[in-house]
Amino acid sequence: MRVPFLITAVIVSAGVLLSLVLPDYHLRLLNLSVVSAIALIGLNFAFGYAGLISLGHAAFVGMGAYGLAILTTRMGWSPWRAMLVATTATAAFAGLIGLPLLRLKGHYLALATLGLNVSFYIVAANWIDLTGGTNGISRIPELTIAGRAIAGERPFLWFGLAVLAAITIVAFMIHTSRYGRAMIAVRDDETAAAMSGIDVTMTKIAAFVLSAVCAAIAGCLFACHVRFVAPEDFSYAHSITYLAMLIVGGESTIVGAILGAAVLTFLPEWLRFLGSAYLAFFGLMMLAILVFLPSGIAGLGRYLPRLRSPTRAAPASVSAKELGP
Amino acid sequence: MSILQARAITKQFGGLLALSAVELTIAAGEFVAVIGPNGAGKSTLLNILTGLLMPDGGQVLFDGKDITRLATHKRVRSGLGRTFQHGRTFARLTVLENVMIGAAIRGDRTERAIRDAALAVLDQMGLAAEANESIGSLSYGRRRMVELCRALACEPRVLLLDEPAAGLNSGEVDQLVDRLTELRARQQLTIVLIEHNMGMVMRLAERIAVLNFGRKIADGPPAQVQADPAVLSAYLGHGYNRASV
């Protein structure tokens, strides 16, 4: 357990350090990175561990965000209570939809989840009474701690980092538990997993629900921070971006999820000089990563153990290299 | 007292009758080999016993209970273990983690207890030194041993082995025979073995059932089955009896 805490500490302190030196606009991007990272830790359970290709992750982020927005603006609930209910409702929905959806595999599952995302967009854009249609919902209240609003980029970043740290630690605990191993086993070989006493269907649903919970929390944070939600924020294009982030960062690693979120949030900013050629660059970059660095940025970490002392390097197992930390 | 029983199992794949009213009764503590030429229906029978396939007709009884429609993982949890014909391990987990998947079958175990139970099985089967290796770094024979360890970690009462010696060299086969003999001596384990390696079958089996074209054509002690004319003709062709006897 020491390594996960160390990694979490490094990420949080890097975030806090950046929060003290960066200008406000970059802090905004950093906040969006943190929100994406929380959503991605979720997607990593479904896609990275259990191998469930989901092109509908943005729909779950949207459900959390819209749930909070509706409960706070229409019902006057406190954001905390709304967050709890919106996240629980999203998890329940993921469980229910997962039951029929997860019978599908590979491309079929990808298409079905894509359909889910498109449906979500259509509902959010057209159920005007509830969602405000394409105008969205504005004036979402800020989160408050002890009566003080978490307002402005810097305080929100600190709060977001705390949430990210908590979720990272929980994710590591699940990763190294029987449930994490079961998810990985299900992706590697479903038949052998069943023959080892694993309930394959339940394991897939658990991974899917877990991914939806993280997505909903990310959505709630997004809603409270931006204080405005619209269908466009949760279109299927965002789901594809989430998958791209996971691949760039390093599929099936928690650290990769966080790195991917940060890099792909800042990349358009760094490459602003490319103008509309950015998309072409992005496509080529994805191609290059898939070909030359299939385990993503986190995959570079496997070169690190060589620098450690021999006693530490010796027991470096494949799980340490390819999955953890 | 029979612990595992196949009653009139029938299975059809399109126009092919893979199993036709096959009866197999395994007594507790017994070591039974199921043999037969390729395509005789041995693996199909194992898939039906473990719930990976549903039979078109017949019943599977475990401990006297009808488990014909029970999900695979529930059969495993009630004490039915199995290894696969080509060896199936989890490539992204280490040797120890593979076996821990099996050891986690008991829901009340803590993470430490799961690890200890898995290490005990690895130790018993002579794989303790490779516990932290990646699956990919092991030879095919060692990988199949890991699979066997994983099945044993599920603490089965009946262990079904699907051609465990296939692809192993003769030294590895000898080692496997020794391990299985030890296992039987140490714990009251019922074993059903599907195998083409007749040397191994004759060294281990107390009883042999023979399948041919989806039918059971013989069932009895090794010596009796070896001399059965129906078995000889199934393996060696019809002309064999007249020519040699």
Side-chain angles (χ1 to χ4, degrees):
Chain A
M1 276 319 290
R2 265 176 309 159
V3 178
F5 278 111
L6 200 72
I7 288 167
T8 313
V10 168
I11 288 165
V12 171
S13 20
V16 169
L17 208 67
L18 286 173
S19 78
L20 299 175
V21 296
L22 288 182
D24 243 29
Y25 176 66
H26 282 132
L27 285 184
R28 189 171 186 81
L29 288 180
L30 208 52
N31 271 320
L32 290 179
S33 309
V34 169
V35 169
S36 292
I38 291 168
L40 277 191
I41 289 175
L43 188 59
N44 188 43
F45 282 118
F47 179 57
Y49 293 177
L52 308 168
I53 303 180
S54 172
L55 284 174
H57 203 57
F60 292 123
V61 178
M63 277 177 218
Y66 265 98
L68 182 131
I70 291 166
L71 290 173
T72 50
T73 57
R74 302 281 156 96
M75 323 255 304
W77 286 22
S78 89
W80 293 108
R81 195 166 144 214
M83 187 190 267
L84 191 71
V85 172
T87 305
T88 313
T90 306
F93 178 80
L96 282 176
I97 195 94
L99 220 50
L101 217 55
L102 299 177
R103 300 175 75 93
L104 301 171
K105 284 176 188 165
H107 306 95
Y108 298 98
L109 179 62
L111 277 178
T113 48
L114 184 68
L116 174 72
N117 209 144
V118 171
S119 307
F120 174 80
Y121 183 93
I122 291 171
V123 170
N126 291 289
W127 194 352
I128 296 170
D129 292 341
L130 188 72
T131 64
T134 45
N135 290 333
I137 300 173
S138 55
R139 274 179 297 211
I140 298 166
E142 286 156 328
L143 285 164
T144 52
I145 291 177
R148 292 183 59 178
I150 308 171
E153 299 296 341
R154 197 163 283 121
F156 188 86
L157 182 59
W158 292 337
F159 171 69
L161 284 169
V163 176
L164 178 63
I167 287 181
T168 305
I169 287 170
V170 171
F172 268 116
M173 281 162 74
I174 293 171
H175 171 86
T176 53
S177 75
R178 60 167 75 203
Y179 308 105
R181 282 194 301 273
M183 288 174 201
I184 293 165
V186 163
R187 175 178 163 175
D188 276 354
D189 189 331
E190 273 186 33
T191 308
M195 206 62 242
S196 309
I198 292 171
D199 188 336
V200 173
T201 309
M202 278 312 294
T203 304
K204 284 183 177 179
I205 289 177
F208 201 58
V209 168
L210 215 49
S211 89
V213 165
C214 293
I217 292 174
C220 290
L221 291 184
F222 177 84
C224 288
H225 182 53
V226 181
R227 304 185 63 193
F228 168 72
V229 293
E232 207 48 56
D233 294 325
F234 314 106
S235 69
Y236 75 92
H238 287 84
S239 288
I240 293 172
T241 306
Y242 286 137
L243 265 189
M245 285 173 169
L246 207 54
I247 290 165
V248 168
E251 179 207 342
S252 61
T253 67
I254 295 166
V255 171
I258 298 169
L259 289 176
V263 169
L264 280 205
T265 307
F266 276 90
L267 199 63
E269 199 50 39
W270 294 333
L271 298 176
R272 186 172 266 189
F273 63 90
L274 286 177
S276 53
Y278 171 73
L279 275 180
F281 172 85
F282 181 74
L284 287 173
M285 184 195 76
M286 286 304 292
L287 199 65
I289 285 179
L290 284 170
V291 173
F292 299 110
L293 201 61
S295 45
I297 300 171
L300 294 170
R302 75 179 54 183
Y303 300 108
L304 287 179
R306 293 185 194 165
L307 305 174
R308 293 192 202 146
S309 63
T311 45
R312 285 292 308 272
S317 57
V318 75
S319 78
K321 282 183 218 150
E322 291 186 355
L323 299 167
Chain B
M1 161 75 194
S2 80
I3 188 164
L4 183 63
Q5 194 180 7
R7 272 195 196 155
I9 295 291
T10 298
K11 180 74 189 177
Q12 197 151 4
F13 294 115
L16 176 79
L17 194 60
L19 291 173
S20 169
V22 170
E23 301 273 347
L24 185 67
T25 304
I26 313 288
E30 219 181 355
F31 199 126
V32 179
V34 178
I35 64 168
N38 285 323
K42 305 179 299 289
S43 286
T44 304
L45 180 62
L46 227 54
N47 286 340
I48 287 171
L49 290 176
T50 50
L52 297 176
L53 281 177
M54 288 294 140
D56 297 326
Q59 280 181 308
V60 180
L61 302 181
F62 186 58
D63 253 351
K65 284 193 282 281
D66 187 348
I67 59 163
T68 319
R69 303 274 148 197
L70 197 66
T72 299
H73 68 271
K74 290 185 183 156
R75 299 185 196 208
V76 178
R77 288 177 191 176
S78 61
L80 198 60
R82 181 208 173 148
T83 63
F84 290 91
Q85 196 172 349
H86 301 294
R88 291 179 137 179
T89 42
F90 305 119
R92 297 191 301 161
L93 297 175
T94 64
V95 169
L96 177 62
E97 285 166 341
N98 261 273
V99 182
M100 283 169 80
I101 291 274
I105 194 152
R106 292 224 324 244
D108 56 341
R109 277 186 173 147
T110 61
E111 187 68 12
R112 180 178 294 264
I114 292 171
R115 180 174 292 266
D116 289 346
L119 278 171
V121 174
L122 284 172
D123 196 37
Q124 186 187 350
M125 302 299 283
L127 274 162
E130 281 122 314
N132 290 317
E133 296 285 330
S134 72
I135 286 292
S137 71
L138 298 189
S139 71
Y140 181 66
R142 297 304 269 174
R143 236 180 290 165
R144 301 210 63 179
M145 279 303 248
V146 173
E147 192 197 17
L148 181 58
C149 288
R150 191 183 66 212
L152 288 172
C154 294
E155 298 181 0
R157 284 176 291 151
V158 178
L159 184 59
L160 311 171
L161 303 171
D162 196 351
E163 297 192 27
L168 303 195
N169 63 41
S170 62
E172 286 172 328
V173 172
D174 287 342
Q175 202 183 18
L176 180 63
V177 169
D178 289 346
R179 298 287 183 212
L180 290 177
T181 312
E182 276 169 33
L183 267 177
R184 287 249 301 155
R186 204 170 313 142
Q187 59 214 59
Q188 190 62 352
L189 189 61
T190 310
I191 298 181
V192 179
L193 171 73
I194 288 182
E195 191 48 71
H196 280 300
N197 183 328
M198 281 306 140
M200 182 173 170
V201 169
M202 289 302 162
R203 278 156 79 187
L204 288 167
E206 297 164 342
R207 186 157 66 85
I208 298 178
V210 187
L211 291 181
N212 193 29
F213 291 118
R215 291 174 194 281
K216 191 168 83 172
I217 57 169
D219 192 341
Q224 184 191 320
V225 167
Q226 242 177 334
D228 193 318
V231 176
L232 292 177
S233 71
Y235 269 91
L236 301 167
H238 286 295
Y240 180 79
N241 288 330
R242 260 173 282 130
S244 66
V245 180

